[in-house]
Amino acid sequence: MSRIVTQAAVRGAHDILGRAEVLYRQCMEEHEGRQPIGFPETAYYLPMIYSLLGKEVSELHQLEPVLEYLRKDLCPPEPPSDRLWLPYLENALDAGVTTLIAQEIYNCLRYLLGTEPHDSTWHGFISDTILRTLGIQLVDGRMPGFAAVVGAAPSNDLAVHIVRELQKRNILTFLIGNHEGRTVRDQLLEENVITDDPKAGWDIYIVPLGPDTDSIIYALNWAIRGALTFGGHRRGDWKACLDYTRARIFAFGLGLGSIDDLKYASGAGAINMGFPVICDTPIPEIRPTGVCTYEELVRELDHRKMVPTAIEVRGVKVKVTDIDVPVPVAAAFEGETVRKADMYCQMGGKYSTGFEYLHMREMDEVEDGKIEVVGPDIDALEEGGALPFGLVAEVAGRKMQTDFEPILERHVHTFINHAMGIFHMGQRDMNWLRVSKNAYNAGFRLRHFGEVLRGLMMEDFPALVDKMQVTIYSDEAAMLPFLAEARKVWKERDDRLADMTDESVDIFYSCTLCQSYAPNHVCIISPQRLGLCGAYNWLDGKAAYEIDPNGPNQPVAKGQCLDPVKGQWRNVNDFVYNKSNRAVERFNAYSLMEDPMTSCGCFECIVTVLPDGQSVMIVNREYAGETPLGMPFSTLASSVGGGHQTPGFLGVGRLYITSPKFISAEGGLPRIAWMPKELKEGIMERLQARADELGMPDFPSKIADETITTEFEGLMNHMMAVEHPALTMTPLIG
Ligand code: SF4
């Protein structure tokens, strides 16, 4: 460990610790000691303190012993002198942890004073909900890691280059701090790469956290929550938490511009978590491996090589898509929108006839790579014009089955959105596309939709798709016969799926994708119960197994049925026992109360028993308000994840709520007493259909939401007033 680095890190730690102490004293003068403090929408108090020290800090005075511990026990009293020739590693690492905790305290107090986030154009703290929402992308490899970019690049071009290189690799980028008052966020705003809405940045993988170095804590206390949420580690088990971040969270820092003491100290904090730092200035390097997987602190003076160097030093596994089209193609561009002012032309939606249809053909009926455009190209349009758009994709493959057609067709939306400067919404005959001026000027034309689609389909589904051809119709008369055919096929598909039940198949599919984060978690996916993240249904599991027979989705023959009501089968039990590292002995697919499925952390909703012991409420992760249980989603979620079975609590996918198998062991749908309005409205069509099936057509109106009450007592009054069926059902508890 370099003495110069250690000296700077210790000085930086003293700087932030001193500022935290001063701010604490100021807050104590202005507020009561029992003044509540904390970050918005987290169940993990001050997450770094909670994870590493195990303390639940929720009131101002509780910071006192933490600051005292930092000052007296953790922070090295002074930098090593120029004449001291001893190993410095311990001092630097202690200075790093001191910095992380002091930055957390400092920024939390700034939240109390209303000076954080810096302003509405910076994101500030990252909520638990965002952590859970992105969890699935982190586990399935769509987002292989994150980069904390600190400072500013020497030019706007280089800033754009660095961020585009990260986007191409689908790496989430946090923009932090400044160099001499200038930030990468300013540079990207000036180049129209981002807008000044920081929340919109999640869709394009670029999120500005804050203009000062201390904002790095938002990235780091987001990462450490992964150890608790997905890893199931206990608070205070600092070693397990830090081992977890080093082994499973592929993050790194990029330092742009001069590195001052605070940046060195923050970097030392990141290194404790296993995150190396790559700088563009001639800093002393720390190359022996040990704390991080590979090197810790590396200089790379060529800005165009910074990202590849960082990838190599952190050991991130990334896939770069190479498709011959005039714009970059990556998942990081998926959420990008094209505003009207930036649009060259649009197709579908309310502007023209549009549809997209994928179907399988025999091998000799498909000419692989053939992309045909029938009708005029977008060159023929005036800027701002609209064109009909029919996309017909024909695929052939030895392992291809008609069952997989809807899965591949669903990916048309995702894959087309991967092209930078292209916006796509909807599916089937409700699609809507926009081509940006930038994409048009770069040379993007109709045939490139086909190129992108074919390239990504062959890359992501190589075992299913051996050949693919695409025809794009912009001539309305020519497309209509195919639209009629597609509508007939869509109806047949819907009818077939609606007929599938758990009893109609002998095989379920497992999913262990989340084990990279929650090592004991196993999802069992059946036709009537999809994975709790909502992203994988039974057909997805089947297709994924065909694509990768040794992958995370394995067929599980049900075998002997041990309990048809609770949904328990001998072979499923054996499978779950083995794959959960022998942590889960039994599993009931349809029960909330007895041996329920484990939860990994990225569930769409939580189902939980209410204090009356007869009814349940459901909360979706987007809902941040209060609930009749007296806890918001984030607090509830913290008691469920980590791959544990928690009777009375269940992580579920939205679609499962309206399945006939939804907690059917306990009476199913009529148990639901409360759910947020947005969730209820989002599933209303299916909810009504299921209620009709049960002969209770007015049941949806009996489910309360936050506009009726968020109090338990109010809910009971409501249930009595509407004669809610759960009131007369058998108690769930005792
Ligand atoms: S199906 Fe289950 S294990 Fe698979 S990604 Fe979703 S939550 Fe994770």
Side-chain angles (χ1 to χ4, degrees):
M1 176 64 78
S2 154
R3 176 168 42 81
I4 296 169
V5 172
T6 305
Q7 287 173 327
V10 173
R11 284 194 301 268
H14 278 271
D15 163 35
I16 176 61
L17 178 55
R19 283 188 287 129
E21 288 167 333
V22 168
L23 205 56
Y24 171 68
R25 284 196 290 277
Q26 181 193 327
C27 289
M28 282 298 273
E29 277 168 22
E30 292 177 16
H31 297 273
E32 295 283 312
R34 294 211 165 273
Q35 167 70 36
I37 56 166
F39 293 109
E41 293 176 48
T42 179
Y44 299 108
Y45 300 88
L46 274 58
M48 196 59 78
I49 294 175
Y50 185 73
S51 313
L52 301 185
L53 306 182
K55 290 181 187 298
E56 294 180 359
V57 173
S58 60
E59 293 177 353
L60 186 55
H61 67 99
Q62 291 168 326
L63 291 175
E64 181 98 40
V66 180
L67 285 166
E68 209 171 290
Y69 166 71
L70 296 185
R71 176 62 69 192
K72 290 192 177 149
D73 297 320
L74 190 59
C75 189
E78 54 192 31
S81 78
D82 288 347
R83 299 170 63 86
L84 182 67
W85 299 97
L86 285 173
Y88 308 109
L89 179 65
E90 193 179 328
N91 275 351
L93 294 180
D94 284 352
V97 177
T98 302
T99 304
L100 297 181
I101 295 175
Q103 282 175 325
E104 186 165 79
I105 293 173
Y106 184 75
N107 278 17
C108 173
L109 293 177
R110 283 172 54 88
Y111 263 96
L112 174 63
L113 297 172
T115 51
E116 196 65 20
H118 183 77
D119 61 38
S120 63
T121 66
W122 293 92
H123 192 287
F125 184 78
I126 306 168
S127 71
D128 292 355
T129 304
I130 294 172
L131 175 69
R132 288 175 196 283
T133 309
L134 292 188
I136 184 67
Q137 293 179 47
L138 289 162
V139 298
D140 71 8
R142 268 177 291 163
M143 186 186 281
F146 76 78
V149 179
V150 181
S155 68
N156 287 9
D157 273 2
L158 285 173
V160 173
H161 176 83
I162 289 168
V163 167
R164 291 294 190 215
E165 286 296 298
L166 292 165
Q167 274 184 310
K168 271 193 231 164
R169 292 163 172 87
N170 299 321
I171 290 174
L172 176 62
T173 303
F174 292 125
L175 308 179
I176 295 157
N178 67 82
H179 170 65
E180 296 176 353
R182 187 133 172 89
T183 68
V184 173
R185 189 205 63 148
D186 299 336
Q187 298 179 308
L188 298 185
L189 268 174
E190 285 161 15
E191 299 303 317
N192 288 323
V193 174
I194 58 172
T195 68
D196 59 6
D197 174 7
K199 292 204 167 56
W202 291 108
D203 291 335
I204 52 167
Y205 292 32
I206 307 170
V207 182
L209 293 181
D212 43 44
T213 306
D214 295 325
S215 301
I216 196 169
I217 191 58
Y218 298 134
L220 299 179
N221 74 9
W222 184 64
I224 200 87
R225 272 175 278 163
L228 306 167
T229 308
F230 301 114
H233 295 300
R234 289 193 322 274
R235 66 180 165 118
D237 191 349
W238 61 268
K239 186 166 184 321
C241 289
L242 294 179
D243 282 349
Y244 182 91
T245 54
R246 184 184 57 191
R248 294 179 188 268
I249 298 181
F250 291 93
F252 54 84
L254 294 181
L256 302 177
S258 56
I259 304 294
D260 59 19
D261 290 349
L262 185 60
K263 286 180 183 167
Y264 272 116
S266 306
I271 288 169
N272 269 285
M273 298 176 74
F275 305 156
V277 180
I278 289 76
C279 296
D280 66 351
T281 47
I283 41 117
E285 295 189 304
I286 306 170
R287 284 201 168 259
T289 60
V291 184
C292 297
T293 309
Y294 301 111
E295 297 83 0
E296 282 86 11
L297 185 59
V298 171
R299 66 174 166 256
E300 175 53 73
L301 305 183
D302 182 347
H303 290 89
R304 294 188 185 271
K305 290 189 188 155
M306 279 189 94
V307 173
T309 302
I311 301 282
E312 192 187 316
V313 170
R314 182 61 184 102
V316 190
K317 292 187 189 72
V318 288
K319 197 173 72 177
V320 181
T321 302
D322 189 15
I323 298 174
D324 189 17
V325 293
V327 296
V329 176
F333 303 113
E334 191 180 324
E336 187 192 27
T337 53
V338 175
R339 290 172 300 182
K340 202 163 180 195
D342 302 325
M343 176 191 89
Y344 179 75
C345 67
Q346 55 191 334
M347 286 87 83
K350 58 183 181 189
Y351 304 96
S352 64
T353 308
F355 74 99
E356 51 210 31
Y357 169 49
L358 179 145
H359 62 129
M360 67 175 281
R361 293 267 189 238
E362 294 303 323
M363 284 291 230
D364 57 2
E365 293 174 332
V366 175
E367 185 183 330
D368 186 35
K370 181 177 164 198
I371 314 280
E372 202 180 346
V373 175
V374 180
D377 211 321
I378 52 182
D379 303 275
L381 286 173
E382 294 284 316
E383 189 177 302
L387 204 59
F389 183 86
L391 184 153
V392 177
E394 292 159 285
V395 298
R398 273 172 208 86
K399 289 188 171 178
M400 185 62 198
Q401 302 176 20
T402 45
D403 270 355
F404 301 150
E405 286 179 346
I407 297 168
L408 300 188
E409 191 178 275
R410 223 166 56 203
H411 278 78
V412 172
H413 164 73
T414 322
F415 289 163
I416 285 183
N417 263 328
H418 284 194
M420 191 174 105
I422 304 299
F423 162 81
H424 179 283
M425 241 180 89
Q427 56 170 328
R428 294 188 171 178
D429 54 0
M430 292 171 60
N431 58 347
W432 177 30
L433 300 96
R434 276 183 168 176
V435 177
S436 70
K437 286 178 200 162
N438 282 346
Y440 176 78
N441 291 334
F444 196 94
R445 298 293 180 267
L446 286 181
R447 64 168 292 104
H448 295 128
F449 285 109
E451 302 281 5
V452 170
L453 190 60
R454 180 185 168 274
L456 290 175
M457 211 56 97
M458 303 298 265
E459 189 176 286
D460 276 32
F461 296 99
L464 297 186
V465 182
D466 294 330
K467 292 165 129 191
M468 180 168 183
Q469 65 185 31
V470 181
T471 312
I472 314 272
Y473 294 92
S474 57
D475 177 320
E476 182 144 355
M479 77 166 68
L480 290 179
F482 296 96
L483 177 55
E485 178 192 320
R487 285 188 172 138
K488 188 167 153 280
V489 171
W490 291 330
K491 179 161 184 333
E492 286 164 10
R493 279 182 199 164
D494 290 345
D495 292 347
R496 196 164 66 236
L497 257 183
D499 288 345
M500 281 188 79
T501 63
D502 286 5
E503 290 76 21
S504 70
V505 299
D506 295 325
I507 287 175
F508 291 163
Y509 286 88
S510 67
C511 186
T512 50
L513 207 54
C514 284
Q515 287 200 345
S516 56
Y517 280 87
N520 297 338
H521 174 70
V522 184
C523 269
I524 292 291
I525 305 172
S526 69
Q528 292 176 292
R529 183 173 184 179
L530 80 170
L532 53 84
C533 58
Y536 291 86
N537 65 26
W538 186 85
L539 281 177
D540 293 317
K542 186 176 175 197
Y545 173 66
E546 294 291 339
I547 294 162
D548 180 4
N550 300 314
N553 299 97
Q554 293 294 313
V556 185
K558 293 190 291 188
Q560 185 192 358
C561 181
L562 301 177
D563 191 326
V565 176
K566 292 178 192 150
Q568 193 182 135
W569 299 266
R570 186 178 299 287
N571 290 1
V572 177
N573 276 350
D574 292 347
F575 183 92
V576 171
Y577 182 60
N578 283 326
K579 293 292 176 184
S580 67
N581 302 311
R582 310 192 164 202
V584 179
E585 281 183 24
R586 260 184 318 280
F587 155 71
N588 287 323
Y590 313 139
S591 177
L592 165 69
M593 302 307 295
E594 197 183 318
D595 301 316
M597 192 156 85
T598 56
S599 297
C600 55
C602 44
F603 34 80
E604 287 190 300
C605 307
I606 297 178
V607 184
T608 180
V609 182
L610 284 162
D612 64 343
Q614 298 200 184
S615 57
V616 302
M617 69 168 197
I618 307 177
V619 195
N620 55 312
R621 66 183 170 212
E622 294 81 10
Y623 177 73
E626 279 306 328
T627 70
L629 204 57
M631 288 182 234
F633 178 89
S634 52
T635 312
L636 274 170
S638 65
S639 25
V640 185
H644 304 298
Q645 279 180 314
T646 322
F649 293 87
L650 198 61
V652 298
R654 278 178 179 234
L655 282 178
Y656 176 55
I657 299 169
T658 47
S659 159
K661 293 293 195 285
F662 172 72
I663 59 167
S664 51
E666 283 94 17
L669 194 80
R671 290 278 185 192
I672 304 172
W674 191 94
M675 66 171 79
K677 189 162 183 272
E678 182 267 319
L679 175 62
K680 191 168 148 187
E681 286 176 354
I683 62 169
M684 184 49 90
E685 202 177 313
R686 290 190 312 275
L687 186 66
Q688 188 60 60
R690 178 75 190 121
D692 291 346
E693 259 171 44
L694 292 170
M696 311 165 81
D698 59 345
F699 178 68
S701 66
K702 296 186 177 185
I703 302 175
D705 59 37
E706 71 277 21
T707 63
I708 295 173
T709 182
T710 55
E711 304 284 331
F712 177 62
E713 207 183 314
L715 180 59
M716 288 294 104
N717 291 338
H718 168 82
M719 288 173 73
M720 281 187 279
V722 299
E723 297 181 359
H724 194 286
L727 293 173
T728 55
M729 293 172 86
T730 329
L732 293 167
I733 303 169

